[in-house]
Amino acid sequence: MNIFKQLLGLIFGFLLTLIVLELFLQLGEIDRLKNSKQDKLLGNSLNSNSNSLYFNEGFSIRKVNNYGYYGPSYPKEKEENLERIALIGDSYVEGIQVFERNHFRRKLEDLLNKNHSLANNEVLNFGRSGFNLNDAYCYYQNFVKKFNPSTKLIFVSPGDLINKKTSTYRPYAFVYNGNLKIDYGFNKSEKFKFIELTEIFRGKSIILGYIYKTLELVKTDNYKTVLFGKIPSVFVEKKIEAEKKKEILSDITKKIIIELRNEDCIFVVHSETTTNYYDYLLDDFLEFSKNNNVKVINLTPLFKKLKSNNINYNYWPITNKIGHFNEKGHEEISK
């Protein structure tokens, strides 16, 4: 009986510790609750009216608006005299490393409205971490188009041009009988059904979120990079060697580029900021774009110029890390 009481006390003490730790994390705003959800059309998407707290390269607190993207709540309906620019891309566009006031979305919008008195300008941030060009295309078709942008800017770095599934919880574009189609099969999987079933419990606990992220890292084998990313490791070396393999512009990627060209999208390209594994793909993309009348803005010369002038657009002194665009980088891109 004494052993049973001791065991019961141990379990109660452990649960009480977890509750206190959870309250400390939430009330002290050490971290935020998960700000994403599962959508049958979009897959993993941002939770409306949620906040994100970011500690890594830099520090920021960002808010997702009531329409489900970062920045001001510009509605789907667009006024006639309004110029609306959509920024579409991966984590470089999402830019959660900086506060909203320092993001190039805000700076670009301010510059346009200051210098163009004849038209009002809105710039919308549709960047999503982990997106490649395939993801961006599906997101554009399923979400971005509903906001009727006047100008569509598709941001890509060389790695984004590699056609692969970045998540089992997102739609995926493929070619069928010469036409581009989008596969929504992810929402019929048992995994997705389980996520839907447990959605009421998800995002309610920071600690449970940590456990879920850890399990996902183990499943995808990415925990090795997290564990050994700071020291020489055979795991990291193998990952780097694997990433150096020769890639090409696939038929699906070329089809997506042409489809987006037909939607009057403009591609904004830049070389990799942290690696140069796939920079050769940028030359292939520029050649393909030239031959197919694709509109392109190439930011690579800008970044090379900044580097030659000792301006570190992706260096974070506070953490001593090389990564996404810092505040200076956002300012230069907006110009």
Side-chain angles (χ1 to χ4, degrees):
M1 181 63 73
N2 286 336
I3 295 176
F4 177 74
K5 285 183 177 179
Q6 289 175 354
L7 183 62
L8 197 63
L10 184 65
I11 294 172
F12 177 77
F14 177 71
L15 292 175
L16 184 62
T17 302
L18 286 180
I19 292 170
V20 171
L21 180 59
E22 181 71 37
L23 289 172
F24 172 71
L25 290 171
Q26 290 196 31
L27 297 177
E29 297 195 341
I30 306 301
D31 205 344
R32 298 273 180 158
L33 294 169
K34 183 175 71 72
N35 72 331
S36 61
K37 62 179 181 179
Q38 294 300 322
D39 184 273
K40 287 188 175 181
L41 191 64
L42 303 176
N44 186 272
S45 55
L46 295 173
N47 241 336
S48 302
N49 298 311
S50 62
N51 293 321
S52 65
L53 185 68
Y54 182 87
F55 292 99
N56 196 341
E57 297 150 19
F59 165 73
S60 74
I61 300 174
R62 296 282 294 279
K63 181 176 177 61
V64 180
N65 61 40
N66 56 310
Y67 293 99
Y69 61 92
Y70 285 109
S73 294
Y74 295 138
K76 293 178 181 178
E77 299 77 21
K78 183 175 74 70
E79 296 176 16
E80 214 171 294
N81 65 337
L82 190 66
E83 290 296 321
R84 177 174 283 178
I85 300 173
L87 310 176
I88 308 156
D90 59 12
S91 55
Y92 290 105
V93 178
E94 189 177 53
I96 58 173
Q97 299 77 22
V98 298
F99 283 89
E100 171 65 23
R101 62 181 177 271
N102 296 317
H103 193 285
F104 73 89
R105 183 216 70 79
R106 169 69 179 273
K107 291 183 175 293
L108 174 59
E109 188 176 81
D110 288 346
L111 284 170
L112 289 170
N113 286 326
K114 180 181 178 181
N115 298 323
H116 297 78
S117 58
L118 295 179
N120 293 320
N121 297 272
E122 292 178 347
V123 184
L124 284 65
N125 180 2
F126 294 109
R128 294 293 311 281
S129 294
F131 269 21
N132 62 12
L133 184 58
N134 195 306
D135 298 313
Y137 170 77
C138 296
Y139 200 57
Y140 170 73
Q141 294 292 350
N142 292 325
F143 186 66
V144 179
K145 282 179 76 170
K146 296 176 181 178
F147 291 83
N148 300 301
S150 318
T151 302
K152 288 86 68 174
L153 301 179
I154 312 288
F155 286 72
V156 291
S157 59
D160 298 328
L161 297 168
I162 299 171
N163 190 71
K164 62 180 180 181
K165 281 191 176 182
T166 56
S167 171
T168 55
Y169 305 121
R170 289 187 190 132
Y172 178 77
F174 66 100
V175 176
Y176 180 75
N177 287 339
N179 297 314
L180 207 55
K181 304 287 184 181
I182 298 179
D183 178 14
Y184 299 98
F186 72 93
N187 62 31
K188 298 179 179 64
S189 68
E190 292 301 319
K191 277 187 176 182
F192 187 84
K193 290 176 182 177
F194 176 76
I195 289 172
E196 274 194 314
L197 188 66
T198 57
E199 190 69 41
I200 190 172
F201 305 106
R202 296 165 61 80
K204 302 294 188 296
S205 166
I206 292 174
I207 294 174
L208 289 178
Y210 290 159
I211 295 171
Y212 176 78
K213 288 177 184 176
T214 302
L215 292 175
E216 286 295 305
L217 284 172
V218 172
K219 284 180 186 177
T220 57
D221 216 29
N222 286 328
Y223 72 94
K224 297 171 184 175
T225 305
V226 175
L227 289 176
F228 303 105
K230 300 297 181 184
I231 59 175
S233 164
V234 64
F235 300 121
V236 176
E237 288 170 5
K238 285 182 178 179
K239 181 178 177 63
I240 290 173
E241 286 303 314
E243 287 180 333
K244 286 182 178 178
K245 66 182 179 180
K246 183 70 176 177
E247 296 283 353
I248 61 170
L249 287 182
S250 68
D251 290 339
I252 296 177
T253 298
K254 290 177 180 177
K255 192 75 175 175
I256 290 172
I257 294 169
I258 296 301
E259 287 287 323
L260 290 173
R261 178 205 66 183
N262 295 340
E263 294 277 350
D264 204 27
C265 293
I266 301 170
F267 286 84
V268 183
V269 299
H270 60 87
S271 58
E272 304 282 5
T273 60
T274 55
T275 68
N276 60 357
Y277 301 150
Y278 301 122
D279 275 3
Y280 60 86
L281 277 176
L282 192 58
D283 295 330
D284 296 344
F285 170 79
L286 291 172
E287 182 66 22
F288 179 79
S289 299
K290 182 180 177 182
N291 295 334
N292 290 276
N293 299 316
V294 178
K295 297 176 184 177
V296 176
I297 298 172
N298 188 359
L299 291 181
T300 302
L302 166 67
F303 294 146
K304 286 182 178 178
K305 181 181 178 182
L306 292 175
K307 277 190 173 180
S308 67
N309 292 328
N310 294 319
I311 297 175
N312 295 313
Y313 61 90
N314 64 332
Y315 173 67
W316 299 83
I318 193 169
T319 53
N320 194 30
K321 288 184 178 181
I322 299 291
H324 295 82
F325 306 134
N326 57 24
E327 292 177 9
K328 183 62 178 177
H330 280 269
E331 183 180 346
E332 294 296 331
I333 290 168
S334 67
K335 293 176 184 178

